[in-house]
Amino acid sequence: MPELVFFSGTMDCGKSTLALQIGHNRSARGLQGVIFTRDDRAGEGKLSSRLGLVTEAVEAAPDMDLYAYLVNQLSQGGKADYVIVDEAQFLAPEQIDQLARIVDDLGLDVFAFGITTDFRTRLFPGSQRLMELADRIEQLQVEALCWCGARATHNARTIGGEMVVEGAQVVVGDVNRPAEMVGYEVLCRRHHRRRMTSAAARAGALSPDVLPVNQP
């Protein structure tokens, strides 16, 4: 039976890499897929992983009907055996409904990849709808790590190395951006609550206030 599967995890846990691997495995067996993405770090119409792998994809614009796109492609003689959706958290809830319809009406497996919560620990609308509709939810097994070595469970937005908790829900960035730019960092819950990024931890370790004082 075809399924709508939601692969979730924090940033930097290998979601896009797995999406590319699933596509590779199926194409090696003669299957043809359609890949949708939104706001990928490599630019419009790309699916990329931090390992340096990149493939072409269809940019899922906010007003795009994903179901209609598939129907139009199939009606014109195109082929589609499965669908991959990366950065699925950025999709509108109605687009997630369209993915479910692709599974139910067209009989295609849909593999959606995305993070569940934003930098404020609030659910993305697209991820929330996926959790409501998915036949199966898979937590990525490759654990991203906080700077302290604990399992990272939260995504933090940073500017100049400092964590921010206000702003638009969607600002495209990456975990590898220079510190002075808008970037992201994965943290454990404890350090996310304390707004303690790796840069803040380094600054604290270098502060004279926390260095041992030699007594005369």
Side-chain angles (χ1 to χ4, degrees), residues 87-149:
E87 307 293 358
Q89 73 273 6
F90 295 147
L91 298 185
E94 55 267 27
Q95 290 177 309
I96 304 301
D97 288 354
Q98 294 158 14
L99 295 180
R101 191 178 178 192
I102 290 171
V103 175
D104 297 339
D105 294 357
L106 302 182
L108 303 180
D109 283 315
V110 175
F111 307 102
F113 299 80
I115 59 179
T116 52
T117 57
D118 62 19
F119 68 104
R120 301 165 298 186
T121 70
R122 301 290 189 265
L123 284 169
F124 282 99
S127 297
Q128 179 177 336
R129 193 61 178 148
L130 272 166
M131 295 173 72
E132 294 166 346
L133 292 183
D135 297 295
R136 186 157 48 94
I137 299 174
E138 298 284 350
Q139 186 75 27
L140 270 291
Q141 296 302 309
V142 178
E143 293 184 350
L145 299 179
C146 177
W147 60 264
C148 68

Short mmCIF file of all heavy atoms in Angstrom, two decimals, residues 87-149:
data_model
loop_
_atom_site.label_atom_id
_atom_site.label_comp_id
_atom_site.label_asym_id
_atom_site.label_seq_id
_atom_site.Cartn_x
_atom_site.Cartn_y
_atom_site.Cartn_z
N GLU A 87 12.39 19.79 2.88
CA GLU A 87 12.00 21.05 3.53
C GLU A 87 10.48 21.14 3.61
O GLU A 87 9.88 22.22 3.43
CB GLU A 87 12.58 22.26 2.77
CG GLU A 87 14.08 22.22 2.54
CD GLU A 87 14.91 22.33 3.82
OE1 GLU A 87 14.31 22.48 4.90
OE2 GLU A 87 16.14 22.27 3.73
N ALA A 88 9.85 20.01 3.95
CA ALA A 88 8.39 19.94 3.95
C ALA A 88 7.77 20.84 5.01
O ALA A 88 6.58 21.18 4.93
CB ALA A 88 7.94 18.49 4.16
N GLN A 89 8.55 21.24 6.01
CA GLN A 89 7.99 22.11 7.05
C GLN A 89 7.56 23.45 6.49
O GLN A 89 6.71 24.13 7.08
CB GLN A 89 9.01 22.32 8.18
CG GLN A 89 10.19 23.22 7.84
CD GLN A 89 11.34 22.46 7.19
OE1 GLN A 89 11.21 21.27 6.90
NE2 GLN A 89 12.46 23.13 6.99
N PHE A 90 8.13 23.85 5.34
CA PHE A 90 7.80 25.15 4.76
C PHE A 90 6.52 25.12 3.93
O PHE A 90 6.05 26.18 3.49
CB PHE A 90 8.95 25.64 3.89
CG PHE A 90 10.22 25.93 4.65
CD1 PHE A 90 11.47 25.71 4.06
CD2 PHE A 90 10.19 26.41 5.94
CE1 PHE A 90 12.65 25.98 4.74
CE2 PHE A 90 11.36 26.67 6.64
CZ PHE A 90 12.59 26.46 6.04
N LEU A 91 5.97 23.94 3.66
CA LEU A 91 4.75 23.86 2.86
C LEU A 91 3.54 24.33 3.66
O LEU A 91 3.50 24.24 4.89
CB LEU A 91 4.51 22.42 2.40
CG LEU A 91 5.57 21.79 1.49
CD1 LEU A 91 5.10 20.41 1.04
CD2 LEU A 91 5.88 22.67 0.29
N ALA A 92 2.55 24.83 2.96
CA ALA A 92 1.29 25.22 3.60
C ALA A 92 0.50 23.97 3.95
O ALA A 92 0.65 22.93 3.30
CB ALA A 92 0.48 26.10 2.65
N PRO A 93 -0.33 24.02 4.98
CA PRO A 93 -1.13 22.85 5.35
C PRO A 93 -1.93 22.28 4.19
O PRO A 93 -2.06 21.06 4.06
CB PRO A 93 -2.04 23.40 6.46
CG PRO A 93 -1.24 24.50 7.09
CD PRO A 93 -0.50 25.14 5.94
N GLU A 94 -2.48 23.15 3.33
CA GLU A 94 -3.26 22.64 2.19
C GLU A 94 -2.37 21.88 1.20
O GLU A 94 -2.85 20.97 0.51
CB GLU A 94 -4.01 23.76 1.48
CG GLU A 94 -3.15 24.92 1.03
CD GLU A 94 -3.08 26.05 2.05
OE1 GLU A 94 -3.23 25.77 3.26
OE2 GLU A 94 -2.87 27.20 1.63
N GLN A 95 -1.09 22.23 1.14
CA GLN A 95 -0.19 21.47 0.28
C GLN A 95 0.10 20.09 0.87
O GLN A 95 0.33 19.13 0.12
CB GLN A 95 1.11 22.26 0.05
CG GLN A 95 0.90 23.49 -0.82
CD GLN A 95 2.16 24.31 -0.99
OE1 GLN A 95 2.82 24.66 0.00
NE2 GLN A 95 2.51 24.63 -2.22
N ILE A 96 0.10 19.98 2.18
CA ILE A 96 0.24 18.67 2.80
C ILE A 96 -0.98 17.81 2.49
O ILE A 96 -0.87 16.61 2.22
CB ILE A 96 0.44 18.80 4.32
CG1 ILE A 96 1.65 19.70 4.63
CG2 ILE A 96 0.60 17.43 4.97
CD1 ILE A 96 2.96 19.21 4.06
N ASP A 97 -2.17 18.43 2.49
CA ASP A 97 -3.38 17.73 2.08
C ASP A 97 -3.25 17.21 0.65
O ASP A 97 -3.71 16.11 0.33
CB ASP A 97 -4.60 18.64 2.18
CG ASP A 97 -5.01 18.94 3.62
OD1 ASP A 97 -4.41 18.34 4.56
OD2 ASP A 97 -5.91 19.74 3.81
N GLN A 98 -2.62 18.01 -0.20
CA GLN A 98 -2.41 17.58 -1.59
C GLN A 98 -1.47 16.38 -1.66
O GLN A 98 -1.66 15.48 -2.49
CB GLN A 98 -1.86 18.75 -2.40
CG GLN A 98 -2.84 19.90 -2.56
CD GLN A 98 -2.17 21.23 -2.88
OE1 GLN A 98 -0.99 21.28 -3.25
NE2 GLN A 98 -2.92 22.32 -2.74
N LEU A 99 -0.46 16.34 -0.79
CA LEU A 99 0.43 15.17 -0.75
C LEU A 99 -0.35 13.92 -0.35
O LEU A 99 -0.14 12.84 -0.93
CB LEU A 99 1.57 15.41 0.23
CG LEU A 99 2.56 16.53 -0.10
CD1 LEU A 99 3.62 16.62 1.00
CD2 LEU A 99 3.21 16.30 -1.46
N ALA A 100 -1.23 14.06 0.63
CA ALA A 100 -2.05 12.92 1.04
C ALA A 100 -2.94 12.45 -0.11
O ALA A 100 -3.16 11.25 -0.30
CB ALA A 100 -2.90 13.29 2.25
N ARG A 101 -3.44 13.39 -0.90
CA ARG A 101 -4.28 13.03 -2.04
C ARG A 101 -3.47 12.32 -3.12
O ARG A 101 -3.98 11.42 -3.80
CB ARG A 101 -4.94 14.29 -2.61
CG ARG A 101 -6.03 13.98 -3.61
CD ARG A 101 -6.70 15.23 -4.14
NE ARG A 101 -7.71 14.89 -5.14
CZ ARG A 101 -8.30 15.77 -5.94
NH1 ARG A 101 -8.00 17.06 -5.85
NH2 ARG A 101 -9.20 15.37 -6.82
N ILE A 102 -2.21 12.70 -3.28
CA ILE A 102 -1.33 11.99 -4.23
C ILE A 102 -1.22 10.53 -3.85
O ILE A 102 -1.26 9.62 -4.68
CB ILE A 102 0.06 12.67 -4.27
CG1 ILE A 102 -0.04 14.03 -4.96
CG2 ILE A 102 1.08 11.78 -4.99
CD1 ILE A 102 1.22 14.86 -4.86
N VAL A 103 -1.08 10.27 -2.55
CA VAL A 103 -1.00 8.88 -2.06
C VAL A 103 -2.32 8.16 -2.31
O VAL A 103 -2.35 7.06 -2.88
CB VAL A 103 -0.66 8.86 -0.56
CG1 VAL A 103 -0.69 7.42 -0.03
CG2 VAL A 103 0.71 9.48 -0.31
N ASP A 104 -3.43 8.76 -1.90
CA ASP A 104 -4.72 8.08 -1.93
C ASP A 104 -5.31 7.94 -3.32
O ASP A 104 -5.88 6.89 -3.66
CB ASP A 104 -5.72 8.82 -1.03
CG ASP A 104 -5.30 8.83 0.43
OD1 ASP A 104 -4.50 7.96 0.83
OD2 ASP A 104 -5.77 9.72 1.17
N ASP A 105 -5.19 8.98 -4.14
CA ASP A 105 -5.84 8.98 -5.46
C ASP A 105 -4.94 8.51 -6.58
O ASP A 105 -5.42 7.93 -7.57
CB ASP A 105 -6.38 10.37 -5.78
CG ASP A 105 -7.50 10.81 -4.85
OD1 ASP A 105 -7.90 9.99 -3.98
OD2 ASP A 105 -7.97 11.95 -4.98
N LEU A 106 -3.64 8.77 -6.46
CA LEU A 106 -2.71 8.39 -7.52
C LEU A 106 -1.92 7.13 -7.19
O LEU A 106 -1.23 6.58 -8.05
CB LEU A 106 -1.75 9.54 -7.84
CG LEU A 106 -2.40 10.86 -8.26
CD1 LEU A 106 -1.33 11.89 -8.60
CD2 LEU A 106 -3.34 10.66 -9.45
N GLY A 107 -1.99 6.69 -5.93
CA GLY A 107 -1.33 5.45 -5.54
C GLY A 107 0.18 5.54 -5.52
O GLY A 107 0.87 4.54 -5.77
N LEU A 108 0.73 6.72 -5.19
CA LEU A 108 2.18 6.90 -5.15
C LEU A 108 2.65 7.06 -3.71
O LEU A 108 1.99 7.71 -2.90
CB LEU A 108 2.59 8.15 -5.94
CG LEU A 108 2.17 8.21 -7.41
CD1 LEU A 108 2.67 9.51 -8.04
CD2 LEU A 108 2.70 7.02 -8.19
N ASP A 109 3.81 6.48 -3.40
CA ASP A 109 4.44 6.74 -2.11
C ASP A 109 4.95 8.18 -2.10
O ASP A 109 5.52 8.67 -3.08
CB ASP A 109 5.63 5.80 -1.89
CG ASP A 109 5.20 4.41 -1.50
OD1 ASP A 109 4.31 4.28 -0.63
OD2 ASP A 109 5.76 3.44 -2.05
N VAL A 110 4.75 8.85 -0.97
CA VAL A 110 5.28 10.20 -0.78
C VAL A 110 6.17 10.18 0.46
O VAL A 110 5.72 9.82 1.55
CB VAL A 110 4.16 11.23 -0.61
CG1 VAL A 110 4.75 12.61 -0.29
CG2 VAL A 110 3.30 11.32 -1.87
N PHE A 111 7.42 10.58 0.27
CA PHE A 111 8.39 10.65 1.36
C PHE A 111 8.69 12.11 1.65
O PHE A 111 9.31 12.80 0.83
CB PHE A 111 9.68 9.91 0.99
CG PHE A 111 9.45 8.49 0.53
CD1 PHE A 111 9.48 8.17 -0.82
CD2 PHE A 111 9.18 7.49 1.45
CE1 PHE A 111 9.27 6.86 -1.25
CE2 PHE A 111 8.97 6.18 1.04
CZ PHE A 111 9.01 5.87 -0.32
N ALA A 112 8.23 12.60 2.79
CA ALA A 112 8.40 14.00 3.16
C ALA A 112 9.45 14.13 4.26
O ALA A 112 9.45 13.35 5.22
CB ALA A 112 7.07 14.60 3.62
N PHE A 113 10.32 15.10 4.12
CA PHE A 113 11.42 15.32 5.07
C PHE A 113 11.36 16.74 5.60
O PHE A 113 11.23 17.69 4.83
CB PHE A 113 12.78 15.10 4.38
CG PHE A 113 12.97 13.71 3.84
CD1 PHE A 113 12.40 13.34 2.62
CD2 PHE A 113 13.70 12.78 4.54
CE1 PHE A 113 12.57 12.05 2.12
CE2 PHE A 113 13.88 11.49 4.06
CZ PHE A 113 13.30 11.13 2.85
N GLY A 114 11.46 16.88 6.93
CA GLY A 114 11.43 18.22 7.47
C GLY A 114 11.67 18.25 8.97
O GLY A 114 11.66 17.22 9.65
N ILE A 115 11.93 19.44 9.46
CA ILE A 115 12.05 19.64 10.90
C ILE A 115 10.65 19.95 11.45
O ILE A 115 9.79 20.44 10.74
CB ILE A 115 13.04 20.77 11.24
CG1 ILE A 115 12.63 22.10 10.61
CG2 ILE A 115 14.45 20.39 10.79
CD1 ILE A 115 13.55 23.25 10.93
N THR A 116 10.44 19.62 12.70
CA THR A 116 9.10 19.79 13.27
C THR A 116 8.87 21.17 13.85
O THR A 116 7.81 21.76 13.65
CB THR A 116 8.84 18.73 14.35
OG1 THR A 116 9.92 18.75 15.30
CG2 THR A 116 8.75 17.34 13.74
N THR A 117 9.86 21.71 14.57
CA THR A 117 9.66 22.98 15.26
C THR A 117 10.64 24.04 14.80
O THR A 117 11.75 23.73 14.35
CB THR A 117 9.79 22.81 16.79
OG1 THR A 117 11.07 22.26 17.10
CG2 THR A 117 8.70 21.88 17.32
N ASP A 118 10.24 25.30 14.96
CA ASP A 118 11.09 26.40 14.55
C ASP A 118 12.03 26.81 15.69
O ASP A 118 12.11 26.14 16.72
CB ASP A 118 10.24 27.59 14.08
CG ASP A 118 9.34 28.16 15.17
OD1 ASP A 118 9.59 27.89 16.37
OD2 ASP A 118 8.38 28.88 14.84
N PHE A 119 12.71 27.95 15.53
CA PHE A 119 13.69 28.40 16.51
C PHE A 119 13.04 28.84 17.82
O PHE A 119 13.72 29.01 18.82
CB PHE A 119 14.53 29.54 15.93
CG PHE A 119 13.76 30.82 15.70
CD1 PHE A 119 13.90 31.90 16.56
CD2 PHE A 119 12.89 30.95 14.63
CE1 PHE A 119 13.21 33.08 16.35
CE2 PHE A 119 12.19 32.12 14.42
CZ PHE A 119 12.34 33.19 15.28
N ARG A 120 11.70 28.97 17.80
CA ARG A 120 10.97 29.33 19.03
C ARG A 120 10.33 28.12 19.68
O ARG A 120 9.54 28.25 20.60
CB ARG A 120 9.88 30.36 18.69
CG ARG A 120 10.41 31.65 18.07
CD ARG A 120 9.30 32.46 17.45
NE ARG A 120 8.66 31.71 16.36
CZ ARG A 120 7.72 32.24 15.57
NH1 ARG A 120 7.33 33.48 15.74
NH2 ARG A 120 7.17 31.51 14.62
N THR A 121 10.66 26.94 19.17
CA THR A 121 10.10 25.64 19.60
C THR A 121 8.62 25.52 19.28
O THR A 121 7.91 24.74 19.91
CB THR A 121 10.34 25.35 21.11
OG1 THR A 121 9.53 26.22 21.92
CG2 THR A 121 11.81 25.52 21.48
N ARG A 122 8.14 26.25 18.28
CA ARG A 122 6.76 26.15 17.84
C ARG A 122 6.69 25.29 16.58
O ARG A 122 7.56 25.36 15.72
CB ARG A 122 6.17 27.54 17.54
CG ARG A 122 6.19 28.50 18.72
CD ARG A 122 5.19 28.08 19.78
NE ARG A 122 5.04 29.08 20.82
CZ ARG A 122 5.71 29.07 21.98
NH1 ARG A 122 6.58 28.11 22.22
NH2 ARG A 122 5.51 30.00 22.89
N LEU A 123 5.63 24.50 16.47
CA LEU A 123 5.47 23.65 15.30
C LEU A 123 5.31 24.48 14.03
O LEU A 123 4.58 25.48 14.02
CB LEU A 123 4.23 22.76 15.45
CG LEU A 123 4.33 21.55 16.37
CD1 LEU A 123 2.94 20.96 16.60
CD2 LEU A 123 5.26 20.50 15.79
N PHE A 124 6.01 24.07 12.96
CA PHE A 124 5.73 24.63 11.65
C PHE A 124 4.35 24.12 11.22
O PHE A 124 4.01 22.96 11.44
CB PHE A 124 6.76 24.16 10.63
CG PHE A 124 8.07 24.87 10.69
CD1 PHE A 124 9.15 24.30 11.35
CD2 PHE A 124 8.24 26.11 10.08
CE1 PHE A 124 10.37 24.95 11.40
CE2 PHE A 124 9.46 26.77 10.13
CZ PHE A 124 10.53 26.19 10.79
N PRO A 125 3.52 24.97 10.59
CA PRO A 125 2.20 24.51 10.14
C PRO A 125 2.27 23.28 9.22
O PRO A 125 1.44 22.38 9.34
CB PRO A 125 1.64 25.73 9.41
CG PRO A 125 2.31 26.90 10.07
CD PRO A 125 3.70 26.42 10.39
N GLY A 126 3.26 23.25 8.32
CA GLY A 126 3.38 22.10 7.44
C GLY A 126 3.71 20.83 8.19
O GLY A 126 3.16 19.76 7.91
N SER A 127 4.60 20.93 9.17
CA SER A 127 4.97 19.76 9.96
C SER A 127 3.80 19.30 10.83
O SER A 127 3.57 18.09 11.00
CB SER A 127 6.18 20.08 10.85
OG SER A 127 7.30 20.39 10.06
N GLN A 128 3.06 20.25 11.37
CA GLN A 128 1.90 19.88 12.18
C GLN A 128 0.89 19.09 11.34
O GLN A 128 0.35 18.08 11.79
CB GLN A 128 1.23 21.13 12.75
CG GLN A 128 -0.02 20.81 13.58
CD GLN A 128 -0.64 22.04 14.21
OE1 GLN A 128 0.03 23.05 14.42
NE2 GLN A 128 -1.93 21.97 14.50
N ARG A 129 0.65 19.57 10.11
CA ARG A 129 -0.31 18.87 9.25
C ARG A 129 0.21 17.49 8.85
O ARG A 129 -0.58 16.53 8.75
CB ARG A 129 -0.62 19.71 8.02
CG ARG A 129 -1.83 19.22 7.22
CD ARG A 129 -3.08 19.25 8.05
NE ARG A 129 -4.25 18.82 7.29
CZ ARG A 129 -5.28 18.18 7.83
NH1 ARG A 129 -5.28 17.89 9.12
NH2 ARG A 129 -6.31 17.85 7.08
N LEU A 130 1.50 17.38 8.65
CA LEU A 130 2.08 16.07 8.34
C LEU A 130 1.89 15.10 9.51
O LEU A 130 1.57 13.93 9.31
CB LEU A 130 3.57 16.21 8.01
CG LEU A 130 3.90 16.49 6.55
CD1 LEU A 130 5.35 16.94 6.42
CD2 LEU A 130 3.64 15.27 5.68
N MET A 131 2.09 15.59 10.71
CA MET A 131 1.91 14.73 11.88
C MET A 131 0.45 14.29 12.02
O MET A 131 0.16 13.22 12.54
CB MET A 131 2.38 15.48 13.13
CG MET A 131 3.87 15.76 13.13
SD MET A 131 4.43 16.81 14.50
CE MET A 131 4.28 15.66 15.86
N GLU A 132 -0.47 15.12 11.53
CA GLU A 132 -1.88 14.78 11.59
C GLU A 132 -2.29 13.78 10.51
O GLU A 132 -3.19 12.96 10.73
CB GLU A 132 -2.72 16.05 11.45
CG GLU A 132 -2.57 17.02 12.62
CD GLU A 132 -3.12 18.40 12.32
OE1 GLU A 132 -3.39 18.70 11.14
OE2 GLU A 132 -3.28 19.19 13.28
N LEU A 133 -1.62 13.82 9.35
CA LEU A 133 -2.06 13.03 8.20
C LEU A 133 -1.16 11.85 7.85
O LEU A 133 -1.62 10.93 7.16
CB LEU A 133 -2.19 13.93 6.97
CG LEU A 133 -3.29 14.98 6.96
CD1 LEU A 133 -3.29 15.71 5.62
CD2 LEU A 133 -4.66 14.36 7.21
N ALA A 134 0.09 11.87 8.25
CA ALA A 134 1.04 10.85 7.78
C ALA A 134 0.63 9.45 8.20
O ALA A 134 0.11 9.22 9.30
CB ALA A 134 2.44 11.16 8.31
N ASP A 135 0.83 8.51 7.29
CA ASP A 135 0.63 7.09 7.62
C ASP A 135 1.70 6.62 8.59
O ASP A 135 1.46 5.72 9.40
CB ASP A 135 0.68 6.24 6.34
CG ASP A 135 -0.43 6.60 5.38
OD1 ASP A 135 -1.60 6.39 5.72
OD2 ASP A 135 -0.12 7.11 4.28
N ARG A 136 2.87 7.24 8.47
CA ARG A 136 3.99 6.80 9.31
C ARG A 136 4.90 8.00 9.56
O ARG A 136 5.14 8.79 8.66
CB ARG A 136 4.74 5.68 8.60
CG ARG A 136 5.84 5.01 9.36
CD ARG A 136 6.11 3.59 8.80
NE ARG A 136 6.22 3.56 7.36
CZ ARG A 136 7.39 3.64 6.70
NH1 ARG A 136 8.52 3.79 7.37
NH2 ARG A 136 7.42 3.56 5.38
N ILE A 137 5.39 8.13 10.79
CA ILE A 137 6.35 9.17 11.15
C ILE A 137 7.63 8.49 11.61
O ILE A 137 7.61 7.66 12.50
CB ILE A 137 5.80 10.08 12.27
CG1 ILE A 137 4.52 10.77 11.80
CG2 ILE A 137 6.84 11.13 12.67
CD1 ILE A 137 3.83 11.57 12.88
N GLU A 138 8.73 8.84 10.97
CA GLU A 138 10.02 8.24 11.28
C GLU A 138 10.95 9.31 11.85
O GLU A 138 11.19 10.34 11.22
CB GLU A 138 10.66 7.63 10.03
CG GLU A 138 9.87 6.50 9.40
CD GLU A 138 9.99 5.20 10.17
OE1 GLU A 138 10.84 5.14 11.09
OE2 GLU A 138 9.24 4.26 9.86
N GLN A 139 11.45 9.06 13.05
CA GLN A 139 12.45 9.95 13.64
C GLN A 139 13.82 9.54 13.11
O GLN A 139 14.19 8.38 13.18
CB GLN A 139 12.45 9.84 15.17
CG GLN A 139 13.34 10.84 15.88
CD GLN A 139 12.77 12.24 15.89
OE1 GLN A 139 11.55 12.42 15.83
NE2 GLN A 139 13.62 13.23 15.99
N LEU A 140 14.55 10.50 12.57
CA LEU A 140 15.87 10.19 12.01
C LEU A 140 16.79 9.63 13.09
O LEU A 140 16.87 10.18 14.19
CB LEU A 140 16.49 11.41 11.36
CG LEU A 140 16.20 11.64 9.87
CD1 LEU A 140 16.87 10.59 9.01
CD2 LEU A 140 14.71 11.65 9.60
N GLN A 141 17.49 8.55 12.75
CA GLN A 141 18.33 7.87 13.74
C GLN A 141 19.71 8.48 13.88
O GLN A 141 20.41 8.20 14.85
CB GLN A 141 18.46 6.39 13.36
CG GLN A 141 17.14 5.64 13.39
CD GLN A 141 16.47 5.70 14.75
OE1 GLN A 141 17.09 5.41 15.77
NE2 GLN A 141 15.20 6.11 14.77
N VAL A 142 20.14 9.28 12.90
CA VAL A 142 21.43 9.95 13.00
C VAL A 142 21.22 11.17 13.89
O VAL A 142 20.60 12.15 13.50
CB VAL A 142 21.96 10.38 11.63
CG1 VAL A 142 23.29 11.12 11.79
CG2 VAL A 142 22.15 9.16 10.74
N GLU A 143 21.72 11.10 15.11
CA GLU A 143 21.45 12.16 16.08
C GLU A 143 22.41 13.34 15.89
O GLU A 143 23.62 13.17 15.90
CB GLU A 143 21.59 11.62 17.50
CG GLU A 143 20.53 10.60 17.87
CD GLU A 143 20.65 10.17 19.32
OE1 GLU A 143 21.66 10.52 19.96
OE2 GLU A 143 19.74 9.48 19.80
N ALA A 144 21.83 14.52 15.74
CA ALA A 144 22.64 15.74 15.78
C ALA A 144 22.99 16.01 17.24
O ALA A 144 22.23 15.67 18.15
CB ALA A 144 21.87 16.90 15.18
N LEU A 145 24.14 16.61 17.46
CA LEU A 145 24.63 16.84 18.82
C LEU A 145 24.73 18.32 19.14
O LEU A 145 25.16 19.12 18.31
CB LEU A 145 26.00 16.18 19.01
CG LEU A 145 26.08 14.66 18.84
CD1 LEU A 145 27.52 14.19 19.04
CD2 LEU A 145 25.14 13.96 19.82
N CYS A 146 24.33 18.65 20.35
CA CYS A 146 24.55 19.99 20.89
C CYS A 146 26.05 20.18 21.11
O CYS A 146 26.82 19.21 21.19
CB CYS A 146 23.78 20.12 22.20
SG CYS A 146 24.00 21.70 23.07
N TRP A 147 26.48 21.42 21.26
CA TRP A 147 27.90 21.68 21.49
C TRP A 147 28.41 21.00 22.76
O TRP A 147 29.60 20.70 22.89
CB TRP A 147 28.16 23.20 21.58
CG TRP A 147 27.42 23.89 22.68
CD1 TRP A 147 26.24 24.55 22.58
CD2 TRP A 147 27.80 23.99 24.06
NE1 TRP A 147 25.84 25.05 23.80
CE2 TRP A 147 26.80 24.72 24.73
CE3 TRP A 147 28.90 23.53 24.79
CZ2 TRP A 147 26.85 25.00 26.09
CZ3 TRP A 147 28.95 23.82 26.15
CH2 TRP A 147 27.95 24.53 26.79
N CYS A 148 27.49 20.70 23.69
CA CYS A 148 27.90 20.07 24.94
C CYS A 148 28.06 18.56 24.82
O CYS A 148 28.52 17.90 25.74
CB CYS A 148 26.90 20.39 26.05
SG CYS A 148 25.28 19.62 25.83
N GLY A 149 27.65 18.01 23.67
CA GLY A 149 27.75 16.57 23.45
C GLY A 149 26.46 15.83 23.66
O GLY A 149 26.34 14.65 23.30
#
